[in-house]
Amino acid sequence: MLLDFSTTFAWRCPFCGELELNEINIFYFSGSSRLEIKCGCDFTKLIIIKNNSKRYQLKYNCIICESEHRIFYTQSELWSNQVKKIKCVENGAELGYLGPYAEVKKLADLEEEYLELMMDKLEFEDYFSNPEVMLSVLNILHDIAENSGLICQCGNEDIEIEMLPGKVKLTCHQCYGAININAETKDDLLFLKKLRKVKILEGVVSALERTN
Ligand SMILES: [Zn+2]
Ligand SMILES: [Zn+2]
Ligand SMILES: [Zn+2]
């Protein structure tokens, strides 16, 4: 087994949520048996204690079950080039990674991407009263716009589309006419599907039902 006596932690700070990479090597343990890894916010994320020449202890506060966990690695495990997943001891959820820099970095990047996707998805679903209908309404409007069906009476064809929780607002910035399209129920969707053209009345703010 290859040991290069350096390893990288990817660990999300339980205090500020930042996922940082920290590289350590065996020389940190030459003068001391205890190493604290701190986040940029100064919170101590991990404590590594060298119990003896063959055994290392890793201590961390778990964000999942909010208690302190301790795991042990042998010297060859800790410095090996195999990626180790650090988990919540109670329920097995992955909290971080330990291993060669390149591989740990890849895993950390993936996790950040995944988290961003989840956040976007949650925000999207929280914001709209009916996210599925909203998506379909946007699709239909997009088709209508592609066929030059999204226009304003004043002659402007550059219409701004704004998404609100239960409706879409189309605004003409030339004359400030606007039209609201409901995007909440299946009926809203069926109604919109029949349309080929959405025309804003010059300088008038209206709702789609009344003008069509
Ligand atoms: Zn932090
Ligand atoms: Zn835990
Ligand atoms: Zn206009």
Side-chain angles (χ1 to χ4, degrees):
M1 194 183 299
L2 183 79
L3 302 176
D4 69 358
F5 297 111
S6 75
T7 192
T8 300
F9 285 96
W11 195 260
R12 193 176 295 284
C13 171
F15 188 71
C16 73
E18 200 63 43
L19 181 72
E20 280 180 0
L21 269 60
N22 303 91
E23 203 169 2
I24 63 160
N25 62 55
I26 200 165
F27 304 109
Y28 283 96
F29 297 98
S30 56
S32 157
S33 60
R34 183 188 166 97
L35 175 66
E36 295 188 355
I37 297 184
K38 285 192 176 194
C39 170
C41 77
D42 216 36
F43 186 85
T44 303
K45 297 192 290 186
L46 292 165
I47 299 171
I48 308 156
I49 298 160
K50 192 178 176 184
N51 288 349
N52 56 53
S53 65
K54 294 258 151 62
R55 217 159 96 111
Y56 291 83
Q57 182 189 150
L58 193 64
K59 275 205 299 189
Y60 50 96
N61 286 309
C62 175
I63 40 171
I64 309 283
C65 68
E66 290 179 338
S67 57
E68 191 187 75
H69 295 315
R70 289 153 194 258
I71 48 174
F72 296 91
Y73 291 115
T74 63
Q75 167 145 297
S76 50
E77 274 171 346
L78 183 70
W79 304 112
S80 82
N81 59 3
Q82 237 166 12
V83 174
K84 293 157 280 291
K85 292 175 176 170
I86 307 169
K87 297 175 177 179
C88 166
V89 175
E90 292 299 321
N91 74 5
E94 283 176 23
L95 300 170
Y97 309 98
L98 170 62
Y101 181 84
E103 280 171 71
V104 165
K105 170 107 175 63
K106 218 184 282 169
L107 285 168
D109 287 349
L110 271 178
E111 203 191 294
E112 290 281 63
E113 253 170 55
Y114 179 71
L115 196 76
E116 256 167 50
L117 268 178
M118 290 307 289
M119 293 300 281
D120 286 352
K121 195 165 171 272
L122 282 180
E123 267 172 33
F124 186 84
E125 285 180 352
D126 271 359
Y127 182 71
F128 298 114
S129 24
N130 191 334
E132 282 82 27
V133 167
M134 178 55 74
L135 271 183
S136 305
V137 163
L138 288 175
N139 271 331
I140 295 171
L141 283 175
H142 187 245
D143 287 346
I144 295 175
E146 257 183 2
N147 296 311
S148 308
L150 217 55
I151 51 165
C152 179
Q153 204 180 26
C154 75
N156 183 20
E157 286 188 18
D158 185 18
I159 308 298
E160 188 201 26
I161 299 179
E162 189 185 349
M163 288 178 278
L164 299 167
K167 62 190 177 188
V168 175
K169 188 178 184 186
L170 306 178
T171 308
C172 166
H173 284 296
Q174 206 161 285
C175 70
Y176 294 102
I179 198 164
N180 287 318
I181 297 169
N182 287 330
E184 228 164 359
T185 65
K186 280 224 172 81
D187 285 343
D188 296 337
L189 204 56
L190 288 173
F191 174 67
L192 197 63
K193 266 185 185 158
K194 290 186 221 144
L195 297 182
R196 299 217 175 143
K197 201 172 215 165
V198 178
K199 193 174 186 180
I200 298 173
L201 299 177
E202 186 168 354
V204 174
V205 178
S206 58
L208 192 63
E209 292 96 327
R210 278 182 265 135
T211 53
N212 281 276

